[in-house]
Amino acid sequence: MSDRYRIFGSEMSPYSVKVRSYCRYKGIPHEWIRRTPQNQDEYRKYARIPIIPAVATPDDVGLQDSTPIIDRLEGLHPEPSVHPDDAVLAFLSVLVEEYGDEWGNKIMFHHRWWHEADQRACARILARGNLPEGDEESVDALAAQIRERMTGRGDFVGSNPQTAPLISRYLDDLLEILEPHLAGRRYLFGDRPAYGDFGLAMQLYEASIDPTAGGIMRARSTNVLDWCFRMIEPRDDGPFESWESLAPTLTPLLQNIGGYFLPWSVANAKALQAGEESFSVELAGSTYTQPPQKYHAKSLGVLRERYAALDDTSSVDPILESTGCLSHLR
């Protein structure tokens, strides 16, 4: 038995740093354990599938998948809540969290493994993290293996020569939306982090430490960059805002979700159900094609369940309708 949670993760994993950021915000006692070959046996004790993070609870139970981990911890450590009291804002925050985890990851992963400079830098960082005491020859060899493996996984997030210019535009659009929204506030929904911050910020944080996306962010989006690094050690610096004060600059983000992420997510789920090897969807006049992804169909189902569980949708539906989100949630 222990009095703290143990997080097996990596600094290069957005989902790992997401859980760590949440624990830091909540003041939950925890130990950060960088997953390496040296602690593989201990990691496997808690990991049902080979992904990170894996969390060992104080009573020695293993947890995986960042969103369910945070949901479980929120039930045990409800204050300060990451969910606004306002039901409208609480659901919009859930929607942003899902968008960050799935669409934000697409943007981050593509830029991390598309250009040669990013491939070499990120593979080297990961190799050195796995072999902290390794000699240069060993690190170089492992970096080459990592680079080959990861660049071969582009289809997992829909990164290919046809979609590459589209995903680059998605990053530009997202930064253009977030920069003014974060100009006068510390977090997405006010002066304290919400559920949605943890999902989206950590994907962009990972992008910010890579050569290409990081250079873009430093040149164009200093408010976004500040937010990403603020989310490494988030604090409760004040209340959540009202929808009225958030709407002018948060609405474009919801329109982005309704125009890109949700249509893609619905098309992905339909393709998976139909047993298709690939699917195409029109997103803002451009055709996006990729193989279907099983996990994203599952997470869309969970998002729809959260919407269906709302006691009263009369206030949130007009917002979802006007931003193109509503039809995809029903």
Side-chain angles (χ1 to χ4, degrees), residues 25 144-145 237 322:
Y25 175 61
Q145 293 175 20
D237 288 327
S322 67

Side-chain angles (χ1 to χ4, degrees), residues 133-311:
E133 306 299 329
D135 57 39
E136 290 302 301
E137 184 177 353
S138 299
V139 173
D140 286 345
L142 181 56
Q145 293 175 20
I146 291 172
R147 182 183 178 190
E148 182 178 5
R149 182 174 73 250
M150 299 306 290
T151 55
R153 296 184 66 194
D155 268 349
F156 180 72
V157 297
S159 172
N160 56 61
Q162 290 70 43
T163 61
L166 299 179
I167 301 177
S168 291
R169 192 182 77 207
Y170 300 156
L171 174 61
D172 291 340
D173 290 348
L174 179 57
L175 295 177
E176 186 175 345
I177 289 168
L178 290 176
E179 186 66 8
H181 181 68
L182 293 164
R185 56 181 55 88
R186 298 182 64 78
Y187 303 99
L188 290 178
F189 290 85
D191 285 334
R192 58 194 289 189
Y195 196 71
D197 288 273
F198 292 97
L200 184 55
M202 308 328 292
Q203 299 291 342
L204 290 177
Y205 166 75
E206 291 293 337
S208 78
I209 63 177
D210 296 341
T212 298
I216 292 170
M217 294 174 72
R218 286 189 291 275
R220 306 180 193 172
S221 307
T222 55
N223 293 329
V224 178
L225 198 63
D226 287 347
W227 169 62
C228 291
F229 280 84
R230 189 178 300 126
M231 280 298 297
I232 295 299
E233 297 272 3
R235 305 185 315 186
D236 181 353
D237 288 327
F240 292 119
E241 297 179 37
S242 66
W243 167 246
E244 288 69 27
S245 66
L246 293 166
T249 50
L250 188 60
T251 295
L253 179 60
L254 301 178
Q255 291 170 332
N256 186 272
I257 294 171
Y260 291 94
F261 168 59
L262 288 177
W264 167 83
S265 192
V266 170
N268 174 77
K270 289 180 178 178
L272 192 66
Q273 186 176 25
E276 298 173 358
E277 294 185 359
S278 180
F279 72 95
S280 297
V281 57
E282 291 295 310
L283 302 176
S286 298
T287 303
Y288 189 97
T289 302
Q290 73 163 92
Q293 298 170 252
K294 183 179 294 186
Y295 180 83
H296 302 312
K298 176 182 177 182
S299 64
L300 173 63
V302 172
L303 181 63
R304 284 172 163 170
E305 288 173 2
R306 291 190 184 228
Y307 170 78
L310 295 174
D311 292 332

